[in-house]
PDB file of all heavy atoms in Angstrom:
ATOM      1  N   VAL A   1       3.045  -2.979  12.334  1.00  0.00           N
ATOM      2  CA  VAL A   1       3.888  -1.821  12.600  1.00  0.00           C
ATOM      3  C   VAL A   1       4.650  -1.548  11.295  1.00  0.00           C
ATOM      4  O   VAL A   1       4.998  -2.447  10.559  1.00  0.00           O
ATOM      5  CB  VAL A   1       4.855  -2.038  13.770  1.00  0.00           C
ATOM      6  CG1 VAL A   1       4.084  -2.088  15.100  1.00  0.00           C
ATOM      7  CG2 VAL A   1       5.692  -3.305  13.593  1.00  0.00           C
ATOM      8  N   ARG A   2       4.912  -0.259  11.019  1.00  0.00           N
ATOM      9  CA  ARG A   2       5.323   0.159   9.678  1.00  0.00           C
ATOM     10  C   ARG A   2       6.716   0.773   9.664  1.00  0.00           C
ATOM     11  O   ARG A   2       7.065   1.573  10.515  1.00  0.00           O
ATOM     12  CB  ARG A   2       4.314   1.179   9.125  1.00  0.00           C
ATOM     13  CG  ARG A   2       4.616   1.647   7.715  1.00  0.00           C
ATOM     14  CD  ARG A   2       3.473   2.514   7.165  1.00  0.00           C
ATOM     15  NE  ARG A   2       3.768   2.899   5.785  1.00  0.00           N
ATOM     16  CZ  ARG A   2       3.920   4.127   5.365  1.00  0.00           C
ATOM     17  NH1 ARG A   2       3.812   5.154   6.219  1.00  0.00           N
ATOM     18  NH2 ARG A   2       4.189   4.381   4.097  1.00  0.00           N
ATOM     19  N   SER A   3       7.450   0.387   8.626  1.00  0.00           N
ATOM     20  CA  SER A   3       8.695   1.069   8.248  1.00  0.00           C
ATOM     21  C   SER A   3       8.479   1.603   6.841  1.00  0.00           C
ATOM     22  O   SER A   3       8.444   0.845   5.871  1.00  0.00           O
ATOM     23  CB  SER A   3       9.882   0.071   8.277  1.00  0.00           C
ATOM     24  OG  SER A   3      11.061   0.699   7.799  1.00  0.00           O
ATOM     25  N   ALA A   4       8.325   2.901   6.717  1.00  0.00           N
ATOM     26  CA  ALA A   4       7.950   3.507   5.442  1.00  0.00           C
ATOM     27  C   ALA A   4       9.121   3.538   4.484  1.00  0.00           C
ATOM     28  O   ALA A   4      10.262   3.853   4.850  1.00  0.00           O
ATOM     29  CB  ALA A   4       7.416   4.920   5.661  1.00  0.00           C
ATOM     30  N   THR A   5       8.874   3.226   3.208  1.00  0.00           N
ATOM     31  CA  THR A   5       9.861   3.407   2.167  1.00  0.00           C
ATOM     32  C   THR A   5      10.135   4.894   2.005  1.00  0.00           C
ATOM     33  O   THR A   5       9.220   5.716   2.113  1.00  0.00           O
ATOM     34  CB  THR A   5       9.342   2.824   0.850  1.00  0.00           C
ATOM     35  OG1 THR A   5       9.051   1.436   1.036  1.00  0.00           O
ATOM     36  CG2 THR A   5      10.359   2.999  -0.254  1.00  0.00           C
ATOM     37  N   VAL A   6      11.388   5.239   1.781  1.00  0.00           N
ATOM     38  CA  VAL A   6      11.769   6.638   1.604  1.00  0.00           C
ATOM     39  C   VAL A   6      10.904   7.284   0.515  1.00  0.00           C
ATOM     40  O   VAL A   6      10.745   6.735  -0.573  1.00  0.00           O
ATOM     41  CB  VAL A   6      13.256   6.764   1.243  1.00  0.00           C
ATOM     42  CG1 VAL A   6      13.601   8.210   0.921  1.00  0.00           C
ATOM     43  CG2 VAL A   6      14.120   6.243   2.378  1.00  0.00           C
ATOM     44  N   GLY A   7      10.333   8.426   0.847  1.00  0.00           N
ATOM     45  CA  GLY A   7       9.515   9.183  -0.121  1.00  0.00           C
ATOM     46  C   GLY A   7       8.040   8.909   0.003  1.00  0.00           C
ATOM     47  O   GLY A   7       7.241   9.624  -0.588  1.00  0.00           O
ATOM     48  N   MET A   8       7.656   7.866   0.769  1.00  0.00           N
ATOM     49  CA  MET A   8       6.227   7.583   0.916  1.00  0.00           C
ATOM     50  C   MET A   8       5.669   8.256   2.168  1.00  0.00           C
ATOM     51  O   MET A   8       6.385   8.502   3.127  1.00  0.00           O
ATOM     52  CB  MET A   8       5.969   6.073   0.967  1.00  0.00           C
ATOM     53  CG  MET A   8       6.246   5.411  -0.374  1.00  0.00           C
ATOM     54  SD  MET A   8       5.533   3.760  -0.464  1.00  0.00           S
ATOM     55  CE  MET A   8       6.175   3.270  -2.086  1.00  0.00           C
ATOM     56  N   ALA A   9       4.388   8.563   2.123  1.00  0.00           N
ATOM     57  CA  ALA A   9       3.751   9.338   3.163  1.00  0.00           C
ATOM     58  C   ALA A   9       3.776   8.613   4.522  1.00  0.00           C
ATOM     59  O   ALA A   9       3.637   7.403   4.584  1.00  0.00           O
ATOM     60  CB  ALA A   9       2.300   9.631   2.795  1.00  0.00           C
ATOM     61  N   VAL A  10       3.954   9.410   5.568  1.00  0.00           N
ATOM     62  CA  VAL A  10       3.832   8.901   6.935  1.00  0.00           C
ATOM     63  C   VAL A  10       2.639   9.624   7.559  1.00  0.00           C
ATOM     64  O   VAL A  10       2.728  10.771   8.006  1.00  0.00           O
ATOM     65  CB  VAL A  10       5.112   9.165   7.752  1.00  0.00           C
ATOM     66  CG1 VAL A  10       4.931   8.664   9.188  1.00  0.00           C
ATOM     67  CG2 VAL A  10       6.309   8.456   7.097  1.00  0.00           C
ATOM     68  N   LEU A  11       1.513   8.955   7.554  1.00  0.00           N
ATOM     69  CA  LEU A  11       0.260   9.494   8.099  1.00  0.00           C
ATOM     70  C   LEU A  11      -0.622   8.351   8.518  1.00  0.00           C
ATOM     71  O   LEU A  11      -0.384   7.193   8.163  1.00  0.00           O
ATOM     72  CB  LEU A  11      -0.445  10.398   7.082  1.00  0.00           C
ATOM     73  CG  LEU A  11      -1.047   9.771   5.807  1.00  0.00           C
ATOM     74  CD1 LEU A  11      -2.018  10.754   5.173  1.00  0.00           C
ATOM     75  CD2 LEU A  11       0.035   9.417   4.823  1.00  0.00           C
ATOM     76  N   ASP A  12      -1.669   8.664   9.299  1.00  0.00           N
ATOM     77  CA  ASP A  12      -2.501   7.592   9.832  1.00  0.00           C
ATOM     78  C   ASP A  12      -3.014   6.667   8.727  1.00  0.00           C
ATOM     79  O   ASP A  12      -3.009   5.427   8.880  1.00  0.00           O
ATOM     80  CB  ASP A  12      -3.697   8.198  10.568  1.00  0.00           C
ATOM     81  CG  ASP A  12      -3.322   8.914  11.846  1.00  0.00           C
ATOM     82  OD1 ASP A  12      -2.130   8.888  12.226  1.00  0.00           O
ATOM     83  OD2 ASP A  12      -4.224   9.505  12.474  1.00  0.00           O
ATOM     84  N   GLY A  13      -3.473   7.230   7.619  1.00  0.00           N
ATOM     85  CA  GLY A  13      -4.063   6.444   6.554  1.00  0.00           C
ATOM     86  C   GLY A  13      -3.109   5.534   5.835  1.00  0.00           C
ATOM     87  O   GLY A  13      -3.554   4.658   5.065  1.00  0.00           O
ATOM     88  N   ALA A  14      -1.820   5.713   6.020  1.00  0.00           N
ATOM     89  CA  ALA A  14      -0.837   4.848   5.357  1.00  0.00           C
ATOM     90  C   ALA A  14      -0.550   3.578   6.157  1.00  0.00           C
ATOM     91  O   ALA A  14       0.122   2.672   5.664  1.00  0.00           O
ATOM     92  CB  ALA A  14       0.464   5.614   5.157  1.00  0.00           C
ATOM     93  N   ALA A  15      -1.040   3.501   7.380  1.00  0.00           N
ATOM     94  CA  ALA A  15      -0.776   2.354   8.227  1.00  0.00           C
ATOM     95  C   ALA A  15      -1.849   1.283   8.029  1.00  0.00           C
ATOM     96  O   ALA A  15      -3.043   1.566   7.926  1.00  0.00           O
ATOM     97  CB  ALA A  15      -0.747   2.764   9.717  1.00  0.00           C
ATOM     98  N   ALA A  16      -1.423   0.033   7.971  1.00  0.00           N
ATOM     99  CA  ALA A  16      -2.356  -1.080   7.923  1.00  0.00           C
ATOM    100  C   ALA A  16      -2.972  -1.290   9.312  1.00  0.00           C
ATOM    101  O   ALA A  16      -2.397  -0.839  10.320  1.00  0.00           O
ATOM    102  CB  ALA A  16      -1.631  -2.351   7.470  1.00  0.00           C
ATOM    103  N   PRO A  17      -4.124  -1.937   9.384  1.00  0.00           N
ATOM    104  CA  PRO A  17      -4.818  -2.572   8.273  1.00  0.00           C
ATOM    105  C   PRO A  17      -5.724  -1.630   7.507  1.00  0.00           C
ATOM    106  O   PRO A  17      -6.342  -0.732   8.056  1.00  0.00           O
ATOM    107  CB  PRO A  17      -5.641  -3.671   8.961  1.00  0.00           C
ATOM    108  CG  PRO A  17      -5.906  -3.132  10.323  1.00  0.00           C
ATOM    109  CD  PRO A  17      -4.692  -2.337  10.709  1.00  0.00           C
ATOM    110  N   PHE A  18      -5.796  -1.892   6.187  1.00  0.00           N
ATOM    111  CA  PHE A  18      -6.774  -1.229   5.334  1.00  0.00           C
ATOM    112  C   PHE A  18      -8.053  -2.028   5.427  1.00  0.00           C
ATOM    113  O   PHE A  18      -8.052  -3.209   5.776  1.00  0.00           O
ATOM    114  CB  PHE A  18      -6.258  -1.178   3.900  1.00  0.00           C
ATOM    115  CG  PHE A  18      -4.951  -0.435   3.776  1.00  0.00           C
ATOM    116  CD1 PHE A  18      -3.738  -1.123   3.817  1.00  0.00           C
ATOM    117  CD2 PHE A  18      -4.913   0.938   3.630  1.00  0.00           C
ATOM    118  CE1 PHE A  18      -2.526  -0.463   3.721  1.00  0.00           C
ATOM    119  CE2 PHE A  18      -3.717   1.613   3.526  1.00  0.00           C
ATOM    120  CZ  PHE A  18      -2.507   0.921   3.581  1.00  0.00           C
ATOM    121  N   ALA A  19      -9.186  -1.396   5.117  1.00  0.00           N
ATOM    122  CA  ALA A  19     -10.466  -2.062   5.407  1.00  0.00           C
ATOM    123  C   ALA A  19     -11.561  -1.672   4.417  1.00  0.00           C
ATOM    124  O   ALA A  19     -11.558  -0.547   3.889  1.00  0.00           O
ATOM    125  CB  ALA A  19     -10.930  -1.748   6.817  1.00  0.00           C
ATOM    126  N   GLU A  20     -12.463  -2.602   4.220  1.00  0.00           N
ATOM    127  CA  GLU A  20     -13.744  -2.342   3.569  1.00  0.00           C
ATOM    128  C   GLU A  20     -14.703  -3.440   3.982  1.00  0.00           C
ATOM    129  O   GLU A  20     -14.371  -4.632   3.860  1.00  0.00           O
ATOM    130  CB  GLU A  20     -13.650  -2.285   2.055  1.00  0.00           C
ATOM    131  CG  GLU A  20     -15.026  -2.022   1.401  1.00  0.00           C
ATOM    132  CD  GLU A  20     -14.915  -1.808  -0.097  1.00  0.00           C
ATOM    133  OE1 GLU A  20     -14.639  -0.675  -0.481  1.00  0.00           O
ATOM    134  OE2 GLU A  20     -15.155  -2.783  -0.848  1.00  0.00           O
ATOM    135  N   GLY A  21     -15.882  -3.078   4.457  1.00  0.00           N
ATOM    136  CA  GLY A  21     -16.836  -4.080   4.918  1.00  0.00           C
ATOM    137  C   GLY A  21     -16.198  -4.946   5.979  1.00  0.00           C
ATOM    138  O   GLY A  21     -15.647  -4.455   6.951  1.00  0.00           O
ATOM    139  N   ARG A  22     -16.246  -6.277   5.793  1.00  0.00           N
ATOM    140  CA  ARG A  22     -15.651  -7.175   6.776  1.00  0.00           C
ATOM    141  C   ARG A  22     -14.165  -7.446   6.503  1.00  0.00           C
ATOM    142  O   ARG A  22     -13.528  -8.172   7.267  1.00  0.00           O
ATOM    143  CB  ARG A  22     -16.394  -8.537   6.788  1.00  0.00           C
ATOM    144  CG  ARG A  22     -17.743  -8.449   7.478  1.00  0.00           C
ATOM    145  CD  ARG A  22     -18.293  -9.856   7.757  1.00  0.00           C
ATOM    146  NE  ARG A  22     -17.389 -10.683   8.553  1.00  0.00           N
ATOM    147  CZ  ARG A  22     -17.271 -10.615   9.881  1.00  0.00           C
ATOM    148  NH1 ARG A  22     -18.001  -9.754  10.571  1.00  0.00           N
ATOM    149  NH2 ARG A  22     -16.455 -11.409  10.533  1.00  0.00           N
ATOM    150  N   TRP A  23     -13.617  -6.882   5.438  1.00  0.00           N
ATOM    151  CA  TRP A  23     -12.241  -7.194   5.066  1.00  0.00           C
ATOM    152  C   TRP A  23     -11.234  -6.322   5.792  1.00  0.00           C
ATOM    153  O   TRP A  23     -11.414  -5.112   5.940  1.00  0.00           O
ATOM    154  CB  TRP A  23     -12.040  -7.025   3.555  1.00  0.00           C
ATOM    155  CG  TRP A  23     -12.880  -7.938   2.737  1.00  0.00           C
ATOM    156  CD1 TRP A  23     -13.937  -7.613   1.961  1.00  0.00           C
ATOM    157  CD2 TRP A  23     -12.706  -9.349   2.579  1.00  0.00           C
ATOM    158  NE1 TRP A  23     -14.458  -8.729   1.349  1.00  0.00           N
ATOM    159  CE2 TRP A  23     -13.720  -9.811   1.711  1.00  0.00           C
ATOM    160  CE3 TRP A  23     -11.799 -10.283   3.115  1.00  0.00           C
ATOM    161  CZ2 TRP A  23     -13.845 -11.148   1.373  1.00  0.00           C
ATOM    162  CZ3 TRP A  23     -11.926 -11.605   2.750  1.00  0.00           C
ATOM    163  CH2 TRP A  23     -12.936 -12.035   1.884  1.00  0.00           C
ATOM    164  N   LEU A  24     -10.137  -6.948   6.203  1.00  0.00           N
ATOM    165  CA  LEU A  24      -8.946  -6.255   6.699  1.00  0.00           C
ATOM    166  C   LEU A  24      -7.761  -6.740   5.865  1.00  0.00           C
ATOM    167  O   LEU A  24      -7.667  -7.931   5.544  1.00  0.00           O
ATOM    168  CB  LEU A  24      -8.680  -6.546   8.178  1.00  0.00           C
ATOM    169  CG  LEU A  24      -9.672  -5.975   9.188  1.00  0.00           C
ATOM    170  CD1 LEU A  24      -9.348  -6.475  10.588  1.00  0.00           C
ATOM    171  CD2 LEU A  24      -9.645  -4.434   9.172  1.00  0.00           C
ATOM    172  N   PHE A  25      -6.824  -5.802   5.559  1.00  0.00           N
ATOM    173  CA  PHE A  25      -5.713  -6.119   4.661  1.00  0.00           C
ATOM    174  C   PHE A  25      -4.433  -5.470   5.165  1.00  0.00           C
ATOM    175  O   PHE A  25      -4.439  -4.354   5.673  1.00  0.00           O
ATOM    176  CB  PHE A  25      -6.025  -5.581   3.274  1.00  0.00           C
ATOM    177  CG  PHE A  25      -4.896  -5.673   2.289  1.00  0.00           C
ATOM    178  CD1 PHE A  25      -4.688  -6.844   1.548  1.00  0.00           C
ATOM    179  CD2 PHE A  25      -4.006  -4.614   2.101  1.00  0.00           C
ATOM    180  CE1 PHE A  25      -3.636  -6.942   0.632  1.00  0.00           C
ATOM    181  CE2 PHE A  25      -2.948  -4.682   1.194  1.00  0.00           C
ATOM    182  CZ  PHE A  25      -2.763  -5.865   0.477  1.00  0.00           C
ATOM    183  N   SER A  26      -3.317  -6.179   4.994  1.00  0.00           N
ATOM    184  CA  SER A  26      -2.011  -5.651   5.355  1.00  0.00           C
ATOM    185  C   SER A  26      -0.989  -6.078   4.318  1.00  0.00           C
ATOM    186  O   SER A  26      -1.152  -7.113   3.665  1.00  0.00           O
ATOM    187  CB  SER A  26      -1.599  -6.155   6.751  1.00  0.00           C
ATOM    188  OG  SER A  26      -0.311  -5.675   7.100  1.00  0.00           O
ATOM    189  N   HIS A  27       0.090  -5.271   4.185  1.00  0.00           N
ATOM    190  CA  HIS A  27       1.171  -5.591   3.262  1.00  0.00           C
ATOM    191  C   HIS A  27       2.484  -5.382   3.977  1.00  0.00           C
ATOM    192  O   HIS A  27       2.760  -4.317   4.553  1.00  0.00           O
ATOM    193  CB  HIS A  27       1.105  -4.630   2.050  1.00  0.00           C
ATOM    194  CG  HIS A  27       2.349  -4.628   1.203  1.00  0.00           C
ATOM    195  ND1 HIS A  27       2.939  -3.465   0.759  1.00  0.00           N
ATOM    196  CD2 HIS A  27       3.132  -5.655   0.729  1.00  0.00           C
ATOM    197  CE1 HIS A  27       4.007  -3.745   0.039  1.00  0.00           C
ATOM    198  NE2 HIS A  27       4.163  -5.079   0.014  1.00  0.00           N
ATOM    199  N   ASN A  28       3.327  -6.389   3.949  1.00  0.00           N
ATOM    200  CA  ASN A  28       4.691  -6.303   4.448  1.00  0.00           C
ATOM    201  C   ASN A  28       5.616  -6.408   3.229  1.00  0.00           C
ATOM    202  O   ASN A  28       5.723  -7.465   2.630  1.00  0.00           O
ATOM    203  CB  ASN A  28       4.985  -7.438   5.434  1.00  0.00           C
ATOM    204  CG  ASN A  28       6.449  -7.501   5.829  1.00  0.00           C
ATOM    205  OD1 ASN A  28       7.167  -6.522   5.734  1.00  0.00           O
ATOM    206  ND2 ASN A  28       6.885  -8.662   6.274  1.00  0.00           N
ATOM    207  N   GLY A  29       6.254  -5.279   2.864  1.00  0.00           N
ATOM    208  CA  GLY A  29       7.145  -5.343   1.708  1.00  0.00           C
ATOM    209  C   GLY A  29       7.259  -4.000   0.999  1.00  0.00           C
ATOM    210  O   GLY A  29       7.080  -2.953   1.593  1.00  0.00           O
ATOM    211  N   VAL A  30       7.549  -4.059  -0.302  1.00  0.00           N
ATOM    212  CA  VAL A  30       7.773  -2.869  -1.089  1.00  0.00           C
ATOM    213  C   VAL A  30       7.538  -3.205  -2.571  1.00  0.00           C
ATOM    214  O   VAL A  30       7.814  -4.325  -3.000  1.00  0.00           O
ATOM    215  CB  VAL A  30       9.209  -2.343  -0.896  1.00  0.00           C
ATOM    216  CG1 VAL A  30      10.254  -3.329  -1.337  1.00  0.00           C
ATOM    217  CG2 VAL A  30       9.423  -1.003  -1.609  1.00  0.00           C
ATOM    218  N   VAL A  31       6.986  -2.266  -3.304  1.00  0.00           N
ATOM    219  CA  VAL A  31       6.865  -2.398  -4.751  1.00  0.00           C
ATOM    220  C   VAL A  31       8.015  -1.651  -5.400  1.00  0.00           C
ATOM    221  O   VAL A  31       8.136  -0.417  -5.243  1.00  0.00           O
ATOM    222  CB  VAL A  31       5.508  -1.850  -5.255  1.00  0.00           C
ATOM    223  CG1 VAL A  31       5.468  -1.788  -6.770  1.00  0.00           C
ATOM    224  CG2 VAL A  31       4.361  -2.704  -4.720  1.00  0.00           C
ATOM    225  N   ARG A  32       8.882  -2.378  -6.096  1.00  0.00           N
ATOM    226  CA  ARG A  32      10.043  -1.746  -6.728  1.00  0.00           C
ATOM    227  C   ARG A  32       9.627  -0.864  -7.902  1.00  0.00           C
ATOM    228  O   ARG A  32       8.671  -1.175  -8.620  1.00  0.00           O
ATOM    229  CB  ARG A  32      11.028  -2.811  -7.226  1.00  0.00           C
ATOM    230  CG  ARG A  32      11.512  -3.767  -6.143  1.00  0.00           C
ATOM    231  CD  ARG A  32      12.299  -3.060  -5.092  1.00  0.00           C
ATOM    232  NE  ARG A  32      12.779  -4.011  -4.073  1.00  0.00           N
ATOM    233  CZ  ARG A  32      13.236  -3.649  -2.898  1.00  0.00           C
ATOM    234  NH1 ARG A  32      13.285  -2.388  -2.555  1.00  0.00           N
ATOM    235  NH2 ARG A  32      13.654  -4.571  -2.029  1.00  0.00           N
ATOM    236  N   GLY A  33      10.362   0.222  -8.064  1.00  0.00           N
ATOM    237  CA  GLY A  33      10.102   1.112  -9.184  1.00  0.00           C
ATOM    238  C   GLY A  33       8.821   1.928  -9.030  1.00  0.00           C
ATOM    239  O   GLY A  33       8.289   2.444  -9.998  1.00  0.00           O
ATOM    240  N   TRP A  34       8.381   2.057  -7.790  1.00  0.00           N
ATOM    241  CA  TRP A  34       7.183   2.836  -7.504  1.00  0.00           C
ATOM    242  C   TRP A  34       7.397   4.305  -7.891  1.00  0.00           C
ATOM    243  O   TRP A  34       8.453   4.850  -7.632  1.00  0.00           O
ATOM    244  CB  TRP A  34       6.830   2.753  -6.023  1.00  0.00           C
ATOM    245  CG  TRP A  34       5.733   3.679  -5.567  1.00  0.00           C
ATOM    246  CD1 TRP A  34       5.881   4.942  -5.079  1.00  0.00           C
ATOM    247  CD2 TRP A  34       4.343   3.410  -5.591  1.00  0.00           C
ATOM    248  NE1 TRP A  34       4.656   5.464  -4.784  1.00  0.00           N
ATOM    249  CE2 TRP A  34       3.697   4.557  -5.105  1.00  0.00           C
ATOM    250  CE3 TRP A  34       3.584   2.305  -6.004  1.00  0.00           C
ATOM    251  CZ2 TRP A  34       2.309   4.620  -4.987  1.00  0.00           C
ATOM    252  CZ3 TRP A  34       2.209   2.390  -5.876  1.00  0.00           C
ATOM    253  CH2 TRP A  34       1.591   3.540  -5.370  1.00  0.00           C
ATOM    254  N   PRO A  35       6.384   4.953  -8.544  1.00  0.00           N
ATOM    255  CA  PRO A  35       5.097   4.384  -8.939  1.00  0.00           C
ATOM    256  C   PRO A  35       5.059   3.902 -10.394  1.00  0.00           C
ATOM    257  O   PRO A  35       4.094   3.316 -10.839  1.00  0.00           O
ATOM    258  CB  PRO A  35       4.143   5.561  -8.757  1.00  0.00           C
ATOM    259  CG  PRO A  35       4.993   6.759  -9.141  1.00  0.00           C
ATOM    260  CD  PRO A  35       6.401   6.438  -8.640  1.00  0.00           C
ATOM    261  N   ASP A  36       6.123   4.218 -11.156  1.00  0.00           N
ATOM    262  CA  ASP A  36       6.077   3.981 -12.600  1.00  0.00           C
ATOM    263  C   ASP A  36       5.818   2.531 -12.949  1.00  0.00           C
ATOM    264  O   ASP A  36       5.098   2.218 -13.904  1.00  0.00           O
ATOM    265  CB  ASP A  36       7.373   4.466 -13.250  1.00  0.00           C
ATOM    266  CG  ASP A  36       7.590   5.954 -13.061  1.00  0.00           C
ATOM    267  OD1 ASP A  36       6.616   6.715 -13.232  1.00  0.00           O
ATOM    268  OD2 ASP A  36       8.711   6.364 -12.721  1.00  0.00           O
ATOM    269  N   ALA A  37       6.435   1.615 -12.195  1.00  0.00           N
ATOM    270  CA  ALA A  37       6.351   0.209 -12.549  1.00  0.00           C
ATOM    271  C   ALA A  37       4.928  -0.324 -12.539  1.00  0.00           C
ATOM    272  O   ALA A  37       4.558  -1.234 -13.292  1.00  0.00           O
ATOM    273  CB  ALA A  37       7.214  -0.623 -11.597  1.00  0.00           C
ATOM    274  N   VAL A  38       4.077   0.258 -11.681  1.00  0.00           N
ATOM    275  CA  VAL A  38       2.716  -0.290 -11.523  1.00  0.00           C
ATOM    276  C   VAL A  38       1.645   0.613 -12.142  1.00  0.00           C
ATOM    277  O   VAL A  38       0.455   0.433 -11.892  1.00  0.00           O
ATOM    278  CB  VAL A  38       2.404  -0.559 -10.043  1.00  0.00           C
ATOM    279  CG1 VAL A  38       3.167  -1.776  -9.556  1.00  0.00           C
ATOM    280  CG2 VAL A  38       2.710   0.661  -9.184  1.00  0.00           C
ATOM    281  N   VAL A  39       2.061   1.571 -12.949  1.00  0.00           N
ATOM    282  CA  VAL A  39       1.082   2.418 -13.646  1.00  0.00           C
ATOM    283  C   VAL A  39       0.108   1.579 -14.463  1.00  0.00           C
ATOM    284  O   VAL A  39      -1.108   1.811 -14.446  1.00  0.00           O
ATOM    285  CB  VAL A  39       1.792   3.487 -14.511  1.00  0.00           C
ATOM    286  CG1 VAL A  39       0.794   4.132 -15.486  1.00  0.00           C
ATOM    287  CG2 VAL A  39       2.416   4.555 -13.621  1.00  0.00           C
ATOM    288  N   PRO A  40       0.575   0.560 -15.229  1.00  0.00           N
ATOM    289  CA  PRO A  40      -0.376  -0.245 -15.988  1.00  0.00           C
ATOM    290  C   PRO A  40      -1.398  -0.967 -15.094  1.00  0.00           C
ATOM    291  O   PRO A  40      -2.567  -1.123 -15.480  1.00  0.00           O
ATOM    292  CB  PRO A  40       0.519  -1.260 -16.719  1.00  0.00           C
ATOM    293  CG  PRO A  40       1.833  -0.559 -16.832  1.00  0.00           C
ATOM    294  CD  PRO A  40       1.968   0.199 -15.560  1.00  0.00           C
ATOM    295  N   LEU A  41      -0.967  -1.430 -13.914  1.00  0.00           N
ATOM    296  CA  LEU A  41      -1.900  -2.063 -13.004  1.00  0.00           C
ATOM    297  C   LEU A  41      -2.914  -1.061 -12.451  1.00  0.00           C
ATOM    298  O   LEU A  41      -4.117  -1.321 -12.398  1.00  0.00           O
ATOM    299  CB  LEU A  41      -1.167  -2.742 -11.846  1.00  0.00           C
ATOM    300  CG  LEU A  41      -0.212  -3.882 -12.191  1.00  0.00           C
ATOM    301  CD1 LEU A  41       0.392  -4.451 -10.921  1.00  0.00           C
ATOM    302  CD2 LEU A  41      -0.899  -4.962 -12.991  1.00  0.00           C
ATOM    303  N   ALA A  42      -2.440   0.109 -12.067  1.00  0.00           N
ATOM    304  CA  ALA A  42      -3.332   1.129 -11.557  1.00  0.00           C
ATOM    305  C   ALA A  42      -4.329   1.591 -12.612  1.00  0.00           C
ATOM    306  O   ALA A  42      -5.476   1.937 -12.276  1.00  0.00           O
ATOM    307  CB  ALA A  42      -2.519   2.318 -11.053  1.00  0.00           C
ATOM    308  N   ALA A  43      -3.919   1.583 -13.862  1.00  0.00           N
ATOM    309  CA  ALA A  43      -4.818   2.027 -14.942  1.00  0.00           C
ATOM    310  C   ALA A  43      -6.033   1.135 -15.079  1.00  0.00           C
ATOM    311  O   ALA A  43      -7.039   1.544 -15.671  1.00  0.00           O
ATOM    312  CB  ALA A  43      -4.040   2.073 -16.256  1.00  0.00           C
ATOM    313  N   GLY A  44      -5.965  -0.085 -14.572  1.00  0.00           N
ATOM    314  CA  GLY A  44      -7.084  -0.982 -14.659  1.00  0.00           C
ATOM    315  C   GLY A  44      -8.119  -0.803 -13.554  1.00  0.00           C
ATOM    316  O   GLY A  44      -9.154  -1.464 -13.557  1.00  0.00           O
ATOM    317  N   LEU A  45      -7.858   0.108 -12.613  1.00  0.00           N
ATOM    318  CA  LEU A  45      -8.781   0.366 -11.524  1.00  0.00           C
ATOM    319  C   LEU A  45      -9.739   1.504 -11.882  1.00  0.00           C
ATOM    320  O   LEU A  45      -9.388   2.400 -12.645  1.00  0.00           O
ATOM    321  CB  LEU A  45      -8.013   0.754 -10.256  1.00  0.00           C
ATOM    322  CG  LEU A  45      -7.175  -0.337  -9.598  1.00  0.00           C
ATOM    323  CD1 LEU A  45      -6.315   0.234  -8.491  1.00  0.00           C
ATOM    324  CD2 LEU A  45      -8.060  -1.454  -9.048  1.00  0.00           C
TER     325      LEU A  45
END
């Protein structure tokens, strides 16, 4: 169940679990300084 960080989208696709193949994934938390702080990480994708 989700509590969205202010400014982040509230839509079906934003709710966990995320999936691919047999994998399911969930995150409980927040990335500080979003999105600027993780631009270098995103650039590697």
Side-chain angles (χ1 to χ4, degrees):
V1 290
R2 181 172 183 243
S3 175
T5 301
V6 174
M8 291 196 185
V10 178
L11 67 164
D12 292 356
F18 301 93
E20 179 173 277
R22 285 193 57 81
W23 297 109
L24 290 174
F25 173 86
S26 179
H27 166 226
N28 172 23
V30 61
V31 171
R32 303 297 181 196
W34 172 268
D36 298 317
V38 288
V39 166
L41 297 182
L45 292 171

